Amino acid sequence: MQLRRNVLTPRTAAALLAAVLATGCTQQPVAGPPRAVAFNATDTAWIQLMIPMDERALRLAALTADRTTDPALTGPATASESKLKGELERLRRLLELSGAPDTRPHEGHNMPGMVPLGTLEKAATSTGEELRRLFLDGMRAHLAQVRSLCAGERASGSADDAKDLAEAVGGSAGEQLALLNTTPR
C-alpha cells in the first residue's frame, strides 16, 4: 500500500490564503501583555505550591505574634507576618495573570517546608518556650524550603514575572532565615 502525501502547491496555497482572508480568519494582535503563554508548568506548580505554604506560615506567624510576650520573638513573628502577607498578594496576582485555576492542589498536604496542621493546632494553645520552639522550627523549615523552591523556579520557570518574584521571595527568605538563626532556640 502506498501512502499519499498531501502537498500544498503554490496554486492551492494561494486559494487557501484567499479563503482565509475572505472569511476574516486572521490573527489580530491582542491588546496588553500575553497571559498564559509565558507561563510553563514549573511556573504554575511553583505558584500553586507557594500559596498554601505561605498561608500556613502566615497563620503560624500571626498566632505567634498574638500569643507571645517575648520581645525577642514578637519582632521576627511580626516581620514574618508582614512579609508573608505581601508575598501572598503578589502570588495571587501572579496566579491570576498565569490563567491557571486556583484549584489548591496542595491544600491539606504536609510537605517539606509547609507548616504542619498539628503545629498550627499546638501553636494556637501554646505560650512561652513551647510557642517559641514551634515558631522558630516551623519558620526555619519553611524558609529553607522556600529558598530551594525559588531556586528551582528561577532555573526552570519561563515567565519573567514568576522568576522575578521567585528571586525576590528567595532573597527575602534568606534574610529572614539569617535573622531567625540569630534568635536563640
Side-chain angles (χ1 to χ4, degrees):
M1 171 155 88
Q2 185 177 15
L3 295 175
R4 288 181 54 189
R5 289 190 174 173
N6 292 326
V7 177
L8 200 56
T9 64
R11 179 187 235 177
T12 310
L16 183 59
L17 182 59
V20 167
L21 291 174
T23 61
C25 295
T26 59
Q27 186 74 19
Q28 297 295 319
V30 176
R35 292 186 69 131
V37 175
F39 288 80
N40 68 13
T42 298
D43 299 317
T44 303
W46 177 74
I47 296 165
Q48 289 179 327
L49 177 57
M50 286 296 300
I51 290 173
M53 284 187 63
D54 275 5
E55 286 174 342
R56 293 243 194 118
L58 175 60
R59 286 174 55 196
L60 179 61
L63 280 168
T64 303
D66 287 346
R67 299 187 58 75
T68 190
T69 57
D70 180 356
L73 199 54
T74 303
T78 303
S80 292
E81 187 177 6
S82 176
K83 286 182 185 290
L84 288 162
K85 284 179 181 178
E87 282 176 21
L88 280 164
E89 285 176 22
R90 293 177 70 188
L91 284 162
R92 288 181 181 120
R93 281 194 306 263
L94 201 56
L95 181 65
E96 186 177 321
L97 181 64
S98 76
D102 188 4
T103 57
R104 305 289 175 131
H106 302 289
E107 188 72 33
H109 295 172
N110 283 328
M111 302 166 61
M114 188 174 286
V115 176
L117 292 172
T119 297
L120 293 173
E121 290 169 6
K122 286 179 189 172
T125 60
S126 296
T127 58
E129 198 53 42
E130 183 179 19
L131 180 61
R132 175 187 196 79
R133 182 188 53 76
L134 290 168
F135 173 74
L136 292 175
D137 290 350
M139 288 305 292
R140 283 180 177 131
H142 170 75
L143 294 167
Q145 185 66 15
V146 163
R147 287 179 67 198
S148 177
L149 291 171
C150 288
E153 166 57 25
R154 289 190 319 269
S156 301
S158 68
D160 288 338
D161 288 344
K163 291 169 74 169
D164 291 347
L165 182 55
E167 185 173 347
V169 169
S172 176
E175 292 168 5
Q176 291 177 71
L177 193 53
L179 178 66
L180 289 181
N181 285 336
T182 63
T183 305
R185 282 188 178 249

